[in-house]
């Protein structure tokens, strides 16, 4: 059972006081640190070099990503990894298109410090630009072996893949690991009402439409995950 203080500021990325630095300008919640280091060591013993693309993310950073995608300044992709022209969509369709791969500010699991987007640095040249595309994690992709290992062993270290399969909300993300003991507590604590209040206090792009759609978006994109097998 988590002992973390799960206030609204922590749950929505407005408080980083419980985060610890893990290198490469990345942070994790202090409760997830030991498990992360154990996982990294276990992978090293198998010849992998677990590297983190993204870990804790603030509300402000998520809001910048969100705004850039709403304005068409940052690419938005569909299931086929084809770029979507969001500027030609209605506000509602634009929001749904973005949320396939990008979380709503305040509702990102990365706000909790429990989530890491990972790859195997040992499998690619040092200057390789990780795309976080499904092709990299399956078939002949450079991180397919890592993905298979994580599916089979991550639970032994307290981690699971919340988006290991598409369930009608967020697309499959074989790179996304979640520290289950704390993440499950955070998910249970983040209510629709807390999220609504956070967005009213911290306006984002497409604010009015987001708030109108939130009762539908919450169960489809925010709580709709593959449950932990731990």
């Amino acid at each position: 059972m988590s002992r973390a203080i799960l206030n609204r500021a922590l749950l929505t990325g407005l408080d980083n006081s419980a985060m610890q630095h893990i290198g490469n300008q990345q942070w994790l919640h202090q409760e997830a640190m030991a498990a992360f280091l154990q996982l990294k060591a276990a992978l090293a013993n198998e010849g992998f070099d677990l590297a983190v693309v993204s870990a804790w993310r603030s509300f402000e950073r998520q809001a910048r990503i969100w705004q850039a995608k709403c304005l068409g300044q940052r690419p938005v992709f569909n299931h086929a990894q084809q770029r979507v022209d969001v500027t030609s969509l209605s506000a509602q369709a634009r929001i749904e298109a973005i949320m396939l791969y990008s979380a709503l500010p305040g509702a990102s699991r990365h706000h909790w410090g429990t989530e890491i987007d990972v790859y195997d640095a040992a499998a690619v040249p040092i200057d390789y630009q990780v795309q976080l595309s499904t092709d990299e994690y399956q078939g002949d992709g450079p991180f397919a072996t890592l993905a298979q290992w994580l599916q089979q062993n991550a639970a032994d270290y307290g981690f699971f893949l919340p988006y290991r399969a598409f369930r009608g909300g967020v697309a499959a993300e074989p790179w996304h690991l979640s520290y289950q003991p704390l993440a499950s507590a955070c998910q249970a604590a983040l209510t629709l009402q807390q999220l609504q209040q956070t967005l009213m206090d911290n306006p984002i792009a497409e604010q009015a439409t987001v708030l109108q759609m939130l009762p539908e978006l919450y169960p489809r994109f925010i709580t709709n995950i593959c449950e932990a097998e731990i």
Side-chain angles (χ1 to χ4, degrees), residues 133-207:
S133 69
T134 53
D135 288 344
E136 292 175 306
Y137 293 81
Q138 61 187 14
D140 296 328
F143 313 132
T145 306
L146 171 66
Q148 184 177 21
W149 191 97
L150 292 173
Q151 289 172 10
Q152 297 173 350
N153 301 286
D156 295 340
Y157 303 90
F159 289 88
F160 76 108
L161 293 104
Y163 305 121
R164 60 183 175 270
F166 178 61
R167 292 168 48 90
V170 177
E173 295 186 349
W175 53 83
H176 185 136
L177 282 177
S178 180
Y179 178 58
Q180 186 273 329
L182 181 53
S184 292
C186 289
Q187 179 165 320
L190 180 62
T191 65
L192 173 60
Q193 291 72 27
Q194 286 180 316
L195 184 54
Q196 286 172 325
Q197 188 61 54
T198 297
L199 292 174
M200 287 189 286
D201 294 343
N202 301 273
I204 62 170
E206 302 292 359
Q207 171 88 344

Side-chain angles (χ1 to χ4, degrees), residues 3 15 31 37 43 52 80 139 141 153 166 179 189 200 209 216 221 223 228 230:
R3 298 186 301 274
D15 177 10
E31 285 196 12
L37 294 175
L43 280 160
V52 177
N153 301 286
F166 178 61
Y179 178 58
M200 287 189 286
T209 306
E216 172 193 346
F221 289 98
T223 62
I230 296 176

